[in-house]
Amino acid sequence: MQESYLHELLKVDDQEIRLTEKQAHILAAAIEIFAEKGYAATATSEIAKRAGVAEGTIFRHYPAKKDLLLAIVKPGVLKFAVPVFASNMVEHIFNREFDGFEDLLSVFIYNRLDFARQNVAILRIVLQEFAFHPEIKKTVEESFLEQVYPKIKETITGFQKAGRLKQMPLKTMVRCIVSPILGFIITRFILNPDAEWDEEQEVDNIISFIMKGIEAEA
């Protein structure tokens, strides 16, 4: 995971960010420990030990522990993963014709499961720190509102006009759809990752649950 993540970190905004070997080790160690213990419970001395560097080396590159967190989350997830995910989601999910809303939900859920599976450590860090760092929260929210929400609105409105979905407020509709999906992903990869999961059956159950709440009556 670390090598893949750091590789993407080097390409933020199509500009190469050159890291020294020590910086790369520091970031990789920080990702591991932040994901394991959380930001607040992690000491820079632990990161230094796992990275194989002196603690002073960390502070030469990152004056404060918060700078190290943002060096991981903000450039990597917020400038790369979230905007690219947003544009890719619009391109690969919403810019398609579906026979029914159930088909769209299926593609969307499996898309997000694959994303989460490949980025569990980063997902854990973002979930842990989202509420405590306004910079992270603001960037994620802006990305969603600017790049994803308009396409969601267009798609749902189209199904409503066709009489396929209930005429409920859009924000309520989005909450009804997103909450069970997000809950499943968090449980699947963060809260109970070692359980025996039948993902196909779980996805079918989630889609059925969502559709019972939002599908227009025949």
Side-chain angles (χ1 to χ4, degrees):
M1 182 281 303
Q2 294 90 345
E3 292 181 3
S4 174
Y5 177 78
L6 294 176
H7 176 72
E8 299 300 350
L9 186 63
L10 296 174
K11 296 182 178 180
V12 173
D13 292 338
D14 294 325
Q15 295 179 0
E16 184 177 3
I17 298 176
R18 296 187 180 278
L19 299 179
T20 66
E21 184 177 355
K22 288 184 178 181
Q23 280 180 294
H25 287 314
I26 290 168
L27 288 176
I31 291 170
E32 290 179 352
I33 302 177
F34 284 158
E36 292 169 7
K37 301 180 62 174
Y39 169 79
T42 298
T44 52
S45 58
E46 295 177 90
I47 297 172
K49 182 178 180 180
R50 188 169 299 190
V53 301
E55 189 173 9
T57 303
I58 294 179
F59 292 119
R60 281 200 296 272
H61 295 291
Y62 308 100
K65 187 172 71 167
K66 179 69 169 286
D67 296 318
L68 181 54
L69 174 69
L70 295 180
I72 294 168
V73 175
K74 203 169 183 178
V77 175
L78 304 182
K79 288 186 179 179
F80 178 79
V82 174
V84 170
F85 149 57
S87 60
N88 282 350
M89 187 174 71
V90 170
E91 178 182 352
H92 295 124
I93 297 178
F94 294 112
N95 287 345
R96 290 176 51 179
E97 295 294 333
F98 292 91
D99 293 333
F101 199 74
E102 301 96 324
D103 297 327
L104 188 152
L105 283 177
S106 179
V107 173
F108 175 78
I109 294 171
Y110 281 114
N111 177 276
R112 292 301 82 209
L113 283 170
D114 288 342
F115 178 83
R117 201 183 327 274
Q118 297 170 27
N119 297 275
V120 174
I122 305 303
L123 176 64
R124 185 183 296 275
I125 294 170
V126 173
L127 288 174
Q128 289 171 342
E129 310 305 332
F130 183 82
F132 303 106
H133 302 280
E135 308 95 325
I136 298 174
K137 184 177 180 180
K138 180 180 178 181
T139 307
V140 172
E141 289 176 345
E142 286 179 350
S143 177
F144 179 81
L145 289 174
E146 292 173 5
Q147 300 185 55
V148 181
Y149 190 77
K151 201 63 185 179
I152 291 176
K153 179 179 179 179
E154 177 185 334
T155 302
I156 291 177
T157 300
F159 277 98
Q160 286 178 323
K161 288 180 178 179
R164 307 285 291 276
L165 298 178
K166 292 179 179 177
Q167 297 298 321
M168 66 173 65
L170 181 64
K171 290 183 179 180
T172 302
M173 180 81 72
V174 172
R175 283 194 293 269
C176 289
I177 295 168
V178 172
S179 295
I181 296 173
L182 184 59
F184 170 53
I185 290 174
I186 292 173
T187 304
R188 169 68 181 85
F189 295 106
I190 305 298
L191 300 181
N192 198 10
D194 297 325
E196 293 185 6
W197 290 96
D198 183 341
E199 283 193 358
E200 185 174 351
Q201 185 61 57
E202 291 287 342
V203 171
D204 287 345
N205 291 341
I206 291 169
I207 292 173
S208 176
F209 175 80
I210 292 171
M211 292 305 300
K212 286 180 181 179
I214 67 173
E215 190 172 22
E217 296 180 3

